[in-house]
Amino acid sequence: FEINDLAVAPKYQGQGIGAKLLERCLSDMKEKGIAAVNLITSNDKKLSGFYEKHGFKRENEVILMGLEI
């Protein structure tokens, strides 16, 4: 499974809303028998810290590539 665009408006951040949204997503996935979740986030310590706090670990074998044309 992939989480895409989990966000909370800036004025509501820091109130646990993101954590509740993520916990609900993960709970629903477990109920459906989904065994793993992947996500892509920016290289921002606040964002990566949020996900690490909730058990996500950095993947060392994944490369994200892009090309502007």
Side-chain angles (χ1 to χ4, degrees):
F1 199 84
E2 178 181 314
I3 294 175
N4 190 13
D5 295 334
L6 175 68
V8 175
K11 73 178 190 174
Y12 297 106
Q13 291 176 3
Q15 300 178 33
I17 296 169
K20 288 179 184 175
L21 288 170
L22 181 60
E23 289 167 11
R24 178 61 187 264
C25 287
L26 296 174
S27 175
D28 287 353
M29 288 179 227
K30 284 180 187 176
E31 285 180 22
K32 292 179 178 9
I34 295 169
V37 181
N38 296 306
L39 64 86
I40 298 170
T41 190
S42 69
N43 194 21
D44 177 285
K45 289 194 185 286
K46 183 177 179 182
L47 290 172
S48 60
F50 170 81
Y51 290 111
E52 287 171 349
K53 182 172 126 180
H54 292 280
F56 286 80
K57 294 179 178 41
R58 292 181 182 261
E59 295 284 341
N60 293 326
E61 297 187 22
V62 176
I63 298 171
L64 176 63
M65 299 176 74
L67 172 67
E68 291 186 31
I69 54 172

